[in-house]
Amino acid sequence: GWLRELRAFRRRHTSAVSLGAGFTMAVPVHMPTPYSLVELPERFEVLFEQSAKAFCPRCNGVPSDPALCLLCGSFLCVQSFCCQEDGIGECNMHMKTCGGTIGVFLLVKKCGLVLLHHDNGCFMSAPYLDQHGEVDLGLKRGRPLFLNQGRYEEMRRLVLTQKIPVFIARKIDQSFDIGGWVSL
């Protein structure tokens, strides 16, 4: 990671000025953000069980409708009054402290993703598919779901290339959006 880059930078810059003869040098870091999102279990029911045992960091209770932050791994309450503050939901408050202007959350009981950027957002299907490669949005079919690494890698690339705002804007343009993203 960054330590390897620092050593390589120091090896390339060995002049007296580079070594710090009165100057502080900025060390370039290739990617200062996490290289990966939270590691998800291969089977969805394992994640479901983890969410049933997890505690919300804000209310210290087990979330009735949990969301997993894919940036840090925290389980949060979704659209519950226990964690809202001035009409702003916990995912939006968590987004400001964890991801800045971007939030990526897996809605465990709905098997979907919610992407947030400022006061906008969109839903998309989770990276879990059944044995036939189909999405089970809302967990209506009851089939076992497995992590699709290709879909999860696509989500990781969206986050790392900072394309979430563009993705949300395109999704909003495609549909009629009545808002309400702040309450998530």
Side-chain angles (χ1 to χ4, degrees):
W2 68 270
L3 188 56
R4 192 176 327 111
E5 291 182 34
L6 174 62
R7 288 181 182 146
F9 179 81
R10 295 283 186 206
R11 271 188 252 114
R12 285 193 310 267
H13 298 86
T14 56
S15 71
V17 174
S18 294
L19 291 176
F23 300 102
T24 304
M25 295 196 55
V27 178
V29 179
H30 177 66
M31 181 65 78
T33 58
Y35 284 97
S36 63
L37 299 175
V38 170
E39 190 173 328
L40 292 175
E42 192 64 33
R43 296 179 61 97
F44 184 75
E45 60 261 16
V46 173
L47 180 66
F48 201 85
E49 288 174 14
Q50 288 174 352
S51 72
K53 297 173 186 170
F55 288 94
C56 170
R58 192 168 194 83
C59 68
N60 293 322
V62 176
S64 59
D65 195 3
L68 173 66
C69 175
L70 294 181
L71 301 178
C72 72
S74 297
F75 281 97
L76 312 167
C77 297
V78 176
Q79 290 187 316
S80 62
F81 294 109
C82 64
C83 295
Q84 277 191 4
E85 221 173 79
D86 298 325
I88 298 173
E90 187 178 10
C91 288
N92 273 278
M93 289 186 285
H94 181 78
M95 171 186 71
K96 289 175 175 61
T97 59
C98 181
T101 61
I102 292 173
V104 183
F105 302 95
L106 187 125
L107 304 175
V108 179
K109 289 193 175 176
K110 294 177 179 67
C111 193
L113 290 173
V114 64
L115 308 177
L116 298 173
H117 177 252
H118 289 298
D119 292 339
N120 289 321
C122 70
F123 293 105
M124 64 183 290
S125 55
Y128 284 95
L129 304 174
D130 66 10
Q131 63 192 10
H132 303 292
E134 296 174 347
V135 178
D136 190 4
L137 193 59
L139 301 173
K140 294 179 181 170
R141 294 192 196 121
R143 296 182 187 150
L145 299 173
F146 305 96
L147 182 64
N148 183 298
Q149 288 295 341
R151 290 173 68 102
Y152 199 50
E153 175 62 23
E154 188 178 312
M155 175 53 56
R156 186 187 78 85
R157 247 183 273 120
L158 264 178
V159 172
L160 292 181
T161 57
Q162 300 177 0
K163 299 234 170 109
I164 298 273
V166 173
F167 185 84
I168 291 172
R170 287 184 179 160
K171 282 281 209 176
I172 289 172
D173 284 345
Q174 292 173 357
S175 64
F176 179 71
D177 184 18
I178 58 170
W181 296 103
V182 178
S183 68
L184 286 175

